[in-house]
Amino acid sequence: MPPRKKRTRRNPKPRPRKTRTRSFKWRKPLAVSLLVIACLSILYVIYLDWQVRSQFEGKRWAIPARVYARPLELYEGKLLSAQQLERQLVLMGYRIQYSPKTAGSYSREGKRFLIHSRRFQFWDGVEPERIVEVVLDRQSVSSITDDKTNTSIDLLRLEPMHIGGIYPLHKEDRILIQLAQAPKNLLTALLVIEDRRFYDHYGVDPKAIARALWTNVRAGKTVQGGSTLTQQLVKNFFLSNERTLWRKANEAIMSVLLDFHYDKNEILEAYLNEIYLGQDGGRAIHGFGLASQFYFGKNVEKLELSEMATLVALIRGPNYYHPIRAPKRLIARRNLIIEKLAEEKIIQPWQARMASRKTLGLQTYASRGANYYPAFIELVRRQLRKEYDEKDLQSEGLKIFTTLDPWVQDQAEIALQKTVQQLKPTTRSGAVLQGAVLVSSTTDGEVYAIVGDRQPRYTGFNRALDAVRPVGSLIKPAVYLTALSNKDEFNPATLLEDKAVRLLGPDKKTWAPENFDRKTHGNVPLFESLTRSYNLATVNLGLKVGFEPIQETLKRLGVEQNIPPYPSMLLGAVGMSPIDVMQMYHTYASGGFRSPLRSIQSVMTANGKPLQRFPLQVKQVVDAKLIHQLNTILRRVVTDGTARQLNHWVGKDIVIAGKTGTTNDLRDSWFAGFSGRHLAVVWMGNDQNKSTGLTGSSGAMRVWANMFQHIETQDLSLSDMPGLDYQYIDHHNGFVAEESCDRAVRLPFFPAQVPTQVSGCK
Amino acid sequence: MLNRVLKLGVMVIGTVLIAACSTTVKLPADDTDSIIPADEQIRPDATTSAAIKRLIENARQASKQGQMSRAESFLERAIRIEPKNPFLWHYLAKLHLYQGHYQRAEGLASKSTSLMQNSQRSRLHADNWRIIAHARQYQGDTVGAQRAQDEASSLSSGNH
């Protein structure tokens, strides 16, 4: 709450008067004091006027930026299921019709869709409104035809889904709505219940005050308020609950002033976006837009009668009528409002009966249909502030085109929720199991989806961006990559010593790491050590390679923070957020090219003029052949190593590479994995940093698998590279083996690296 | 003997090209027409879809009219659809080189090369090295530029 400014009391000097009339002498002091009071009052009113107007202008004149998801591009051969297409159409607000006559509708007959698309002005041109027939085949688009001309269409881009309105430079989270968006019944209910004469009064309503006073005096306590919507709005601007007469007077004056300056509809719109409707932890829920998402998980346009009445009921006191703590009280008030609407003949009696019988219908975490992605929007906000000029962002009504893929985002949310529910019984510590998911493209750094909380509509702590946790074994590929880049000394088959290590840590304590199975494995080939995530072999390797080269590798991969040169770093005693991890793994997934992760494709001004773009950038930071060696091993992690359950869980035979990560006492469960098209990083743990009882594969990897059951992706390409020689190696001893040997693994080597010793395994 | 002559030839050609680069400071695509070749000159592999061809054509038109950002946007859309098509990355590299975004141009050209199948080695590969040579030259990295130009020349002279 902003501290109230002290009123300035300056005594305006009364002008000396020349006329002196004795008979009126006694009147002079009175006149002077009246004049002073009048002057002060005028000054005070001017001050109030300035205050209330600046508040109102601040809210009123900024038209929020509209944020869009990536548009759905349809072309022959695009991987897309009928379910996926329909879901996206529904999310974009397309209605199913028998024959799609209006823009924004579609019909469906099995795998044949008739879509009446809407016109949309994109960054690079206009997509016209048209009716197209889209036919799917198994899991992809088989034809797109213009229904009118019956010609085939090469490329159809549907308008992007609107995923929110933001003030790019403000930190507050609000879903702004325009008056025209508000359902008629909601407005009517609001006016009938809160301020019947809104369109007739001058900001205050003496009749209503008198009535409220009478009711309150009779009841002996405050039961009714006589505040107009304007007064409530003013009260919300200054956020104070004091009920002093002085405050009331101030409110009344400011309301009259507001009413004088602005149109009723402008005031009403500001009210809809400003009114306080509840609390979510540290976050205040202001406005009907956010409240409908928060309570019901839907856009305000889609509210049902009972839900509108619930929101109107909450205005009186979101705490007193708390939906969880006092549901009965809230339902009673809601039904009172519904009754009133029926009395006034705004709704039919049967509608009232139906609506009154409903439960509150608060959104459950599994509820669907919301196109509100707070965790993703948060990244958009941060990148806007970082990448764009502040003065550009101040212009009104910007259009922000993001990289969000609504289908992938859906799957990420569902997978995290589903997995949390599946795993709940095995969580020991009583702390709430939390998680974060990020999905991106493997080639260009475009972020498709972000989930920052097991309840994805919550805007609290965004774990995907801000939960800095030890990454455990996820660091290991960087250690092995550093070794492999020393081609003379290390190759995929080089033998490493998996034996006990004792070291003096920076805190003068001895550090004696162990393998997960608490055993030592003697001499193991390098690739096998990474596949099985052996700690001791990794530490011995890291000590040989040296901290500095590893720090250097991490930097090149895109890790920005300083990694301390302590031995425990080799096992991932390094705090990173999931998005930092994703930046690092993106370089592996893209074959050694680093691209900054992007959530924004482009920004356009309200009248369609493009602002600067956030272009596709790639920089080769690691030799493609080295990455190929590394990825071949990371692939083996999935076929034979710590992630070998993955393909079975995904239920598809896709080529994926990845790495599991588990930290001490099972506090953090990580999995980072990539196919040819998608990279996804999952973290699970709890905010109390207690044990979850989960390893990387039993927790985070399950989320990954659940998610990719429903995402069409492509094989990671590991085809033979020119300049490398391929050899079968016995994974027991790192020696050359026959192809038929059941321990043989085919590995890539630089020509001078190919081992010569023969294992004898056939 | 033959080898030696060939080597000498490559060196001479390389030096001449580098000299040409450093003296005339001329962009490979000084007129916007040639940044993205017209349809008949496009050599994407047989799998290139109608959608990609349409986007390349749009990008070509836009770049001809000097609308470089629009052209970029079309190519980026194409890359979203076919991320493994080395020609798209190559065209995008050329667009950035033309606009003086040298680091970006070099990165994109390397990416294009990394995506080439064996059968595609040759002209595209050499062209990518040329973009890199120019980009390095403009950034003042003469040695790096020379190295890139040598690579390009050796590929062009069929020495791969």
Side-chain angles (χ1 to χ4, degrees):
Chain A
M1 187 181 83
R4 289 188 60 205
K5 278 190 182 164
K6 270 198 181 155
R7 284 169 299 119
T8 44
R9 281 175 190 276
R10 253 188 297 142
N11 280 326
K13 282 182 189 145
R15 282 181 193 156
R17 292 197 177 178
K18 294 267 159 85
T19 45
R20 286 182 191 174
T21 323
R22 261 168 201 241
S23 55
F24 291 112
K25 201 178 175 187
W26 61 275
R27 290 192 182 172
K28 202 179 121 190
L30 183 69
V32 169
S33 34
L34 277 178
L35 197 69
V36 168
I37 290 171
C39 281
L40 276 177
S41 309
I42 290 168
L43 278 177
Y44 184 58
V45 169
I46 290 173
Y47 162 71
L48 285 184
D49 186 51
W50 167 78
Q51 223 189 15
V52 74
R53 277 172 73 176
S54 60
Q55 275 288 336
F56 192 78
E57 305 272 321
K59 312 279 178 190
R60 155 73 178 67
W61 297 116
I63 301 171
R66 283 175 79 80
V67 186
Y68 296 96
R70 78 174 41 227
L72 184 61
E73 300 235 32
L74 297 176
Y75 48 89
E76 218 185 289
K78 182 189 169 69
L79 291 174
L80 188 73
S81 66
Q83 183 204 2
Q84 208 170 330
L85 176 57
E86 186 156 29
R87 167 82 179 140
Q88 297 227 37
L89 288 171
V90 170
L91 281 174
M92 288 186 292
Y94 276 67
R95 289 175 317 274
I96 191 156
Q97 279 179 2
Y98 177 69
S99 152
K101 288 204 182 73
T102 47
S105 63
Y106 72 100
S107 67
R108 178 183 171 182
E109 217 175 281
K111 299 208 158 197
R112 183 183 159 275
F113 288 78
L114 208 55
I115 301 171
H116 192 152
S117 71
R118 300 188 185 111
R119 181 187 183 277
F120 194 86
Q121 163 90 52
F122 279 98
W123 209 90
D124 52 19
V126 174
E127 284 285 330
E129 171 184 341
R130 49 187 168 178
I131 303 177
V132 289
E133 187 199 51
V134 177
V135 182
L136 302 173
D137 165 31
R138 286 176 182 269
Q139 295 291 311
S140 67
V141 176
S142 72
S143 74
I144 309 169
T145 322
D146 190 312
D147 197 54
K148 214 171 178 183
T149 61
N150 209 18
T151 48
S152 123
I153 295 174
D154 296 338
L155 188 59
L156 170 71
R157 182 166 45 163
L158 295 175
E159 84 273 16
M161 179 178 138
H162 178 219
I163 56 169
I166 60 169
Y167 292 130
L169 294 173
H170 291 202
K171 252 213 94 89
E172 63 185 4
D173 157 63
R174 206 166 282 199
I175 299 175
L176 297 145
I177 58 166
Q178 286 169 329
L179 191 57
Q181 275 175 276
K184 210 173 134 258
N185 277 342
L186 175 68
L187 294 178
T188 315
L190 183 63
L191 295 177
V192 164
I193 301 303
E194 291 295 327
D195 191 356
R196 204 174 262 281
R197 278 179 292 278
F198 175 71
Y199 280 97
D200 304 320
H201 60 60
Y202 297 101
V204 288
D205 186 357
K207 271 192 205 165
I209 295 173
R211 199 190 50 231
L213 207 65
W214 177 239
T215 318
N216 293 348
V217 167
R218 274 204 318 192
K221 57 180 180 178
T222 323
V223 290
Q224 197 177 5
S227 293
T228 62
L229 292 185
T230 323
Q231 280 171 293
Q232 294 180 27
L233 176 61
V234 168
K235 192 174 160 194
N236 255 269
F237 280 165
F238 301 102
L239 286 175
S240 161
N241 281 325
E242 323 169 41
R243 277 185 165 173
T244 62
L245 218 55
W246 177 250
R247 258 212 79 77
K248 289 264 172 213
N250 275 343
E251 259 171 42
I253 296 169
M254 289 202 239
S255 305
V256 174
L257 291 168
L258 206 60
D259 195 80
F260 174 73
H261 287 301
Y262 302 103
D263 187 67
K264 289 280 185 191
N265 284 338
E266 291 172 346
I267 295 174
L268 186 55
E269 191 175 274
Y271 179 93
L272 291 176
N273 287 314
E274 190 64 30
I275 194 71
Y276 173 68
L277 287 168
Q279 194 71 27
D280 167 26
R283 173 174 76 134
I285 309 293
H286 281 279
F288 283 90
L290 186 57
S292 5
Q293 283 295 352
F294 177 65
Y295 291 116
F296 307 113
K298 52 172 94 166
N299 286 346
V300 73
E301 294 100 318
K302 295 197 176 144
L303 289 178
E304 288 173 29
L305 180 63
S306 63
E307 293 162 341
M308 293 178 206
T310 305
L311 292 183
V312 173
L314 281 168
I315 295 172
R316 188 56 65 81
N319 233 336
Y320 184 73
Y321 297 102
H322 198 281
I324 309 285
R325 288 198 297 269
K328 279 192 187 146
R329 202 182 281 161
L330 178 59
I331 290 180
R333 178 154 171 81
R334 176 197 75 180
N335 292 350
L336 202 77
I337 290 167
I338 295 170
E339 226 172 85
K340 192 105 179 170
L341 290 175
E343 256 172 46
E344 304 268 338
K345 307 240 179 330
I346 292 154
I347 53 171
Q348 300 295 322
W350 64 266
Q351 285 177 302
R353 274 197 304 279
M354 288 232 326
S356 303
R357 257 181 248 143
K358 295 209 164 151
T359 58
L360 283 176
L362 299 178
Q363 72 161 329
T364 53
Y365 304 132
S367 77
R368 308 270 313 272
N371 48 359
Y372 173 50
Y373 309 110
F376 187 89
I377 296 280
E378 179 56 28
L379 182 64
V380 171
R381 249 176 226 286
R382 289 186 198 183
Q383 295 196 331
L384 275 174
R385 281 200 294 262
K386 206 169 132 197
E387 306 289 337
Y388 287 78
D389 282 343
E390 196 169 314
K391 68 173 193 317
D392 282 343
L393 297 180
Q394 273 160 355
S395 59
E396 291 180 10
L398 292 176
K399 291 180 180 153
I400 299 166
F401 296 91
T402 72
T403 57
L404 180 107
D405 183 322
W407 176 262
V408 174
Q409 175 74 31
D410 256 15
Q411 301 318 316
E413 291 177 3
I414 296 167
L416 181 61
Q417 290 171 11
K418 199 172 131 191
T419 314
V420 164
Q421 279 163 10
Q422 283 171 353
L423 294 174
K424 218 182 241 161
T426 59
T427 309
R428 295 177 213 147
S429 59
V432 177
L433 184 59
Q434 268 295 356
V437 185
L438 287 139
V439 189
S440 79
S441 141
T442 51
T443 33
D444 51 18
E446 291 195 335
V447 180
Y448 293 147
I450 304 181
V451 189
D453 192 299
R454 57 189 276 178
Q455 294 153 19
R457 310 271 168 263
Y458 269 40
T459 324
F461 183 39
N462 190 341
R463 291 167 192 80
L465 308 186
D466 297 326
V468 176
R469 306 294 293 241
V471 296
S473 303
L474 290 195
I475 201 98
K476 282 178 188 163
V479 177
Y480 285 77
L481 179 63
T482 313
L484 287 171
S485 42
N486 189 347
K487 291 179 205 126
D488 298 335
E489 215 174 320
F490 298 99
N491 67 60
T494 307
L495 290 179
L496 309 180
E497 291 177 308
D498 191 61
K499 63 172 190 195
V501 200
R502 271 182 175 278
L503 291 165
L504 210 57
D507 48 2
K508 303 281 177 241
K509 278 185 196 155
T510 44
W511 184 63
E514 282 184 318
N515 278 326
F516 190 75
D517 59 8
R518 290 166 201 271
K519 291 179 193 154
T520 55
H521 307 91
N523 284 347
V524 286
L526 182 144
F527 76 94
E528 192 62 3
S529 168
L530 181 56
T531 304
R532 313 234 168 253
S533 205
Y534 290 149
N535 288 338
L536 297 176
T538 305
V539 171
N540 285 319
L541 174 67
L543 293 174
K544 245 188 211 169
V545 172
F547 296 125
E548 232 171 86
I550 296 170
Q551 286 171 313
E552 180 55 37
T553 301
L554 286 166
K555 210 177 233 167
R556 265 191 291 148
L557 292 170
V559 176
E560 280 176 1
Q561 66 257 59
N562 266 332
I563 306 297
Y566 305 144
S568 58
M569 162 266 254
L570 301 169
L571 298 181
V574 172
M576 283 191 210
S577 64
I579 196 167
D580 294 338
V581 170
M582 173 163 252
Q583 184 72 68
M584 168 166 70
Y585 273 76
H586 188 271
T587 307
Y588 303 141
S590 70
F593 288 83
R594 186 176 73 211
S595 297
L597 294 175
R598 304 183 291 164
S599 62
I600 303 163
Q601 284 178 356
S602 58
V603 179
M604 230 162 68
T605 62
N607 48 19
K609 189 179 141 277
L611 279 187
Q612 98 227 44
R613 271 164 37 84
F614 196 4
L616 167 55
Q617 295 179 61
V618 293
K619 185 176 186 217
Q620 182 153 28
V621 290
V622 187
D623 178 20
K625 295 186 189 95
L626 285 174
I627 288 285
H628 180 77
Q629 283 187 323
L630 180 72
N631 285 352
T632 305
I633 306 174
L634 292 179
R635 166 67 187 144
R636 202 161 173 274
V637 171
V638 175
T639 53
D640 295 88
T642 50
R644 63 187 167 279
Q645 292 291 326
L646 184 65
N647 271 94
H648 174 64
W649 286 348
V650 173
K652 283 184 268 192
D653 205 15
I654 330 161
V655 180
I656 308 164
K659 186 75 196 80
T660 54
T662 311
T663 61
N664 288 347
D665 304 327
L666 309 177
R667 289 194 182 112
D668 303 276
S669 160
W670 289 93
F671 186 70
F674 49 93
S675 68
R677 198 106 201 201
H678 296 92
L679 160 67
V681 173
V682 183
W683 168 83
M684 288 188 104
N686 53 56
D687 296 342
Q688 291 73 27
N689 201 11
K690 286 185 180 161
S691 174
T692 58
L694 298 171
T695 61
S697 56
S698 71
M701 195 172 91
R702 223 173 242 285
V703 177
W704 204 102
N706 281 337
M707 176 163 65
F708 277 88
Q709 273 175 17
H710 306 284
I711 296 175
E712 298 304 324
T713 189
Q714 281 169 0
D715 285 343
L716 171 69
S717 161
L718 284 171
S719 49
D720 289 3
M721 263 195 156
L724 291 175
D725 292 340
Y726 291 78
Q727 183 56 261
Y728 283 94
I729 300 293
D730 183 341
H731 70 72
H732 270 187
N733 49 30
F735 299 155
V736 173
E738 300 273 331
E739 187 179 345
S740 53
C741 159
D742 58 2
R743 300 195 303 264
V745 183
R746 192 164 177 272
L747 293 171
F749 294 92
F750 286 93
Q753 290 178 335
V754 185
T756 44
Q757 213 165 341
V758 177
S759 131
C761 171
K762 284 182 182 166
Chain B
M1 184 62 193
L2 189 72
N3 245 343
R4 269 170 106 190
V5 170
L6 213 66
K7 241 183 197 168
L8 195 73
V10 168
M11 272 172 70
V12 169
I13 292 168
T15 323
V16 167
L17 277 172
I18 284 293
C21 265
S22 46
T23 50
T24 59
V25 192
K26 210 168 176 295
L27 280 168
D30 229 15
D31 66 313
T32 50
D33 263 13
S34 62
I35 297 178
I36 301 162
D39 197 28
E40 60 271 23
Q41 287 170 269
I42 299 174
R43 299 146 293 153
D45 53 17
T47 56
T48 301
S49 62
I52 294 297
K53 283 185 183 142
R54 166 63 53 93
L55 287 168
I56 292 176
E57 179 53 25
N58 288 350
R60 196 178 75 82
Q61 294 294 344
S63 69
K64 255 177 85 171
Q65 291 159 21
Q67 301 171 336
M68 297 304 163
S69 294
R70 267 187 83 215
E72 271 176 46
S73 163
F74 285 122
L75 288 177
E76 287 185 14
R77 273 174 75 192
I79 287 174
R80 273 179 215 120
I81 295 171
E82 274 184 20
K84 305 258 155 76
N85 184 332
F87 288 91
L88 302 174
W89 293 88
H90 172 74
Y91 298 149
L92 193 57
K94 268 167 100 176
L95 264 182
H96 280 288
L97 182 65
Y98 179 83
Q99 296 175 82
H101 308 147
Y102 302 120
Q103 281 184 8
R104 272 179 221 161
E106 178 169 353
L108 293 161
S110 318
K111 182 78 184 183
S112 168
T113 298
S114 81
L115 293 169
M116 285 186 322
Q117 302 298 316
N118 280 339
S119 57
Q120 289 167 333
R121 296 197 160 253
S122 63
R123 217 173 126 190
L124 181 62
H125 198 177
D127 286 350
N128 281 331
W129 275 121
R130 266 181 216 111
I131 291 176
I132 293 170
H134 282 282
R136 288 180 180 169
Q137 185 71 35
Y138 286 119
Q139 291 177 91
D141 174 10
T142 330
V143 180
Q146 170 121 29
R147 265 211 317 272
Q149 192 63 53
D150 289 350
E151 295 272 6
S153 313
S154 72
L155 284 162
S156 306
S157 54
N159 205 15
H160 52 283

